[in-house]
Amino acid sequence: MDKIKIKVELDNKDMNYNYEGIAYINKDIIEYRDKDFNYKEYHYLFDKKIKRLVKSSENTTIILDFLNEELRVIEDSKELKMDINVETIDINGNNIEIIYKIANDDIKYVIKEVK
């Protein structure tokens, strides 16, 4: 597993997310951990090959499947599925930029490797 420094940005009208820190690379998987303002820890996995982001915590898992254009939220054994509309996916090495829509909201997800 290689260790790299990354910068992550999620831009949408309701909530933005930023992370800058260490990530681990294992073939096509980028993995990192982050804590929110309530100190709840989240585990993030982005699989470049199947174009899928998984965000998980103790009792919640969010899966953004960009290839199949689907969002799944699993919480306490209950599952919600929703369609998303992926407009662009650009993966260049460890740099990723995805623009997608949920309902009428445009969302931009970016991972950049920082030197």
Side-chain angles (χ1 to χ4, degrees):
M1 232 183 222
D2 294 327
K3 186 163 61 167
I4 63 170
K5 187 173 179 182
I6 62 168
K7 186 183 246 185
V8 179
E9 298 172 6
L10 178 72
D11 294 324
N12 69 28
K13 71 176 188 174
D14 294 329
M15 181 178 65
N16 291 328
Y17 168 76
N18 293 294
Y19 169 80
E20 190 168 344
I22 299 299
Y24 296 92
I25 304 294
N26 187 2
K27 296 183 182 176
D28 289 324
I29 308 278
I30 298 174
E31 178 179 6
Y32 68 99
R33 295 181 183 274
D34 192 16
K35 292 183 180 177
D36 70 6
F37 58 92
N38 291 324
Y39 301 102
K40 185 173 185 177
E41 185 168 303
Y42 291 95
H43 182 224
Y44 294 84
L45 289 172
F46 187 88
D47 188 321
K48 296 185 285 186
K49 188 172 187 173
I50 61 172
K51 298 171 180 70
R52 182 180 297 154
L53 174 66
V54 178
K55 175 184 175 181
S56 59
S57 66
E58 289 177 13
N59 59 348
T60 305
T61 301
I62 299 170
I63 302 166
L64 276 159
D65 187 336
F66 298 108
L67 200 57
N68 294 312
E69 297 190 348
E70 180 179 75
L71 166 69
R72 293 175 40 210
V73 179
I74 304 164
E75 186 168 16
D76 298 327
S77 301
K78 296 175 186 166
E79 184 172 342
L80 168 71
K81 289 185 182 182
M82 182 182 301
D83 290 334
I84 63 174
N85 181 17
V86 178
E87 295 181 356
T88 62
I89 299 175
D90 182 21
I91 299 175
N92 184 6
N94 295 323
N95 298 300
I96 298 154
E97 182 175 306
I98 300 172
I99 299 172
Y100 61 101
K101 275 188 176 188
I102 297 179
N104 290 326
D105 295 332
D106 288 331
I107 301 169
K108 183 177 180 182
Y109 178 73
V110 177
I111 297 177
K112 291 183 183 176
E113 184 172 2
V114 182
K115 299 292 178 185

